[in-house]
Amino acid sequence: MFDTINDKKQDALMTLDQFLRASEEEQLQVLWEARFVSERSVQEFVYTRYQVFDFYIEVCVKDHAVVAFDYFSGERSAVQAGAGSPFYG
């Protein structure tokens, strides 16, 4: 597991499990550096998907506040997870 953000930068890959065990501060730093994939609005919600290493994070925002996160690994999982998501509905 990465103990600090500096450890993350030295390693080539962070797994989804390592991300989920990281502190909120570390998770936010990783997300800040993630690759934007897509964004879609559904009613009052905005869903934004990011790729982080070999997994994806979907952030749900309402009224400029984060209300939910969804995490999944691999491109195939992203498509499967998207089956019920507004991204692919």
Side-chain angles (χ1 to χ4, degrees):
M1 180 165 148
F2 301 109
D3 294 327
T4 66
I5 293 302
N6 292 333
D7 291 340
K8 180 206 62 96
K9 290 180 180 177
Q10 292 173 356
D11 289 299
L13 181 69
M14 176 185 244
T15 66
L16 177 57
D17 186 55
Q18 289 169 321
F19 177 82
L20 294 174
R21 288 186 285 145
S23 70
E24 183 177 330
E25 180 181 340
E26 289 174 318
Q27 288 180 351
L28 290 172
Q29 181 64 38
V30 169
L31 186 57
W32 182 256
E33 297 173 4
R35 182 178 71 85
F36 171 82
V37 175
S38 60
E39 183 173 276
R40 182 162 178 183
S41 296
V42 177
Q43 297 174 357
E44 68 271 15
F45 298 98
V46 176
Y47 297 86
T48 308
R49 182 171 291 178
Y50 299 92
Q51 182 178 9
V52 180
F53 304 107
D54 69 341
F55 60 93
Y56 296 84
I57 301 171
E58 192 171 273
V59 181
C60 177
V61 175
K62 179 181 177 185
D63 299 326
H64 305 286
V66 174
V67 295
F69 287 97
D70 192 14
Y71 313 94
F72 38 92
S73 60
E75 188 174 335
R76 184 172 184 196
S77 294
V79 172
Q80 290 169 343
S85 167
F87 283 98
Y88 300 99

